[in-house]
Amino acid sequence: MKKILLTLAIALLTALPAQAADLTVSAAASLTDAFNEMKPAFAKDHPDINLVFNFAASGTLLSQMEKGAPVDVFASADQKTMDQAVEKKLIDVPTRANFVQNALVLSVPAGNPAKVKDLTGLAAAQVKRIAIGNPDSVPVGRYTKAALTKLGQWDALSPKFVMAESVRQVLDYLSRGEVDAGFVYATDAKQGGDKVKVIVEVPVETPVIYPIAVVTGSAHAKDAATFVSFVTGPKGQAILAKYGFKKP
């Protein structure tokens, strides 16, 4: 009898579907909506892989990986952060690929209470709070600092800056009307809907191009490469385009 029960138990376990492997993807905060939409589309093609997303500023994600956080794929909002990951031997270099391009925009809350018309208008007395990403860890902050420095406005505007820990925090400040203006990516401003108005696209010397790569030592390197291929392939690109991202 025991032998029969054991045989039945083994047969039952064998018949059960294999549990999908968790694949951890650390991605820039600005990719939140697009990547979340990719999840069911990716699962349809790869039911054996379960995507687990970790969204934050690219610099924060890099710091987490340095400290040993188990990550399989890294998607950064700028080349500098990915270059730093290369220097620290945190990514598998041959898997690195540029997959989208974005734009830096000056935005204001709905109604534009401070009547900002352009970049020079930020110096006006009625503009008291300007949200920007922290340049030390947030790529959108670095792009902002570089652009304003080139225009000769950085030092003069510095007292008005409200530092944010991600581009999505800047967007939150704008959406709630807690600042008079802010610098975000075009895709984030689009997600702000009618709560956020874009004033102007800000010229940048370095294009806002996002790279993605498999993380060194990933326990699921093959699955990680599969996700990178999905993101850079037609299905992933179509979803990214829907959210306003452009091809690199």
Side-chain angles (χ1 to χ4, degrees), residues 108-109 111-130 157 160 177-182:
V108 297
N112 192 8
K115 308 302 179 188
V116 177
K117 294 181 179 180
D118 52 30
L119 287 165
T120 58
L122 295 176
Q126 67 266 27
V127 179
K128 302 183 184 304
R129 293 163 62 84
I130 304 169
L157 294 177
K160 301 183 179 186
E178 296 174 351
V179 294
D180 301 303

Side-chain angles (χ1 to χ4, degrees):
M1 185 65 178
K2 288 183 178 180
K3 187 174 181 180
I4 293 174
L5 291 173
L6 180 61
T7 302
L8 288 172
I10 293 173
L12 181 61
L13 289 172
T14 304
L16 290 174
Q19 187 174 359
D22 284 346
L23 189 74
T24 302
V25 178
S26 283
S30 50
L31 293 166
T32 300
D33 303 287
F35 270 26
N36 277 333
E37 184 165 327
M38 277 189 202
K39 187 169 184 175
F42 182 78
K44 187 175 181 180
D45 290 347
H46 306 281
D48 56 330
I49 305 174
N50 178 48
L51 295 176
V52 178
F53 292 125
N54 174 33
F55 297 110
S58 298
T60 299
L61 298 174
L62 176 63
S63 178
Q64 291 172 356
M65 290 191 295
E66 282 185 89
K67 294 174 182 176
V71 179
D72 300 299
V73 177
F74 178 42
S76 170
D78 69 339
Q79 299 294 326
K80 181 177 180 179
T81 305
M82 189 63 81
D83 288 343
Q84 291 173 336
V86 171
E87 292 169 6
K88 299 175 187 297
K89 303 186 185 305
L90 294 172
I91 67 160
D92 182 8
V93 178
T95 67
R96 178 175 178 173
N98 294 331
F99 67 104
V100 285
Q101 183 167 341
N102 215 331
L104 179 67
V105 295
L106 169 63
S107 300
V108 297
N112 192 8
K115 308 302 179 188
V116 177
K117 294 181 179 180
D118 52 30
L119 287 165
T120 58
L122 295 176
Q126 67 266 27
V127 179
K128 302 183 184 304
R129 293 163 62 84
I130 304 169
I132 70 167
N134 186 336
D136 293 334
S137 59
V138 186
V140 73
R142 282 197 286 272
Y143 289 119
T144 301
K145 183 175 181 178
L148 292 179
T149 298
K150 185 178 180 181
L151 293 170
Q153 293 179 268
W154 177 260
D155 290 336
L157 294 177
S158 290
K160 301 183 179 186
F161 292 152
V162 176
M163 295 293 181
E165 295 309 311
S166 75
V167 68
R168 283 305 170 96
Q169 189 172 25
V170 177
L171 182 64
D172 287 342
Y173 288 149
L174 286 166
S175 298
R176 295 194 295 259
E178 296 174 351
V179 294
D180 301 303
F183 290 86
V184 294
Y185 296 126
T187 54
D188 293 288
K190 183 177 180 180
Q191 287 304 115
D194 58 7
K195 294 181 179 180
V196 175
K197 177 183 178 182
V198 173
I199 297 299
V200 66
E201 181 174 328
V202 182
V204 292
E205 284 189 302
T206 304
V208 185
I209 295 177
Y210 292 41
I212 188 170
V214 175
V215 176
T216 302
S218 165
H220 310 286
K222 184 178 179 181
D223 291 345
T226 297
F227 179 67
V228 171
S229 294
F230 183 88
V231 171
T232 56
K235 291 183 180 179
Q237 289 294 301
I239 292 172
L240 288 159
K242 175 181 175 181
Y243 286 88
F245 289 98
K246 298 178 181 179
K247 291 189 175 182

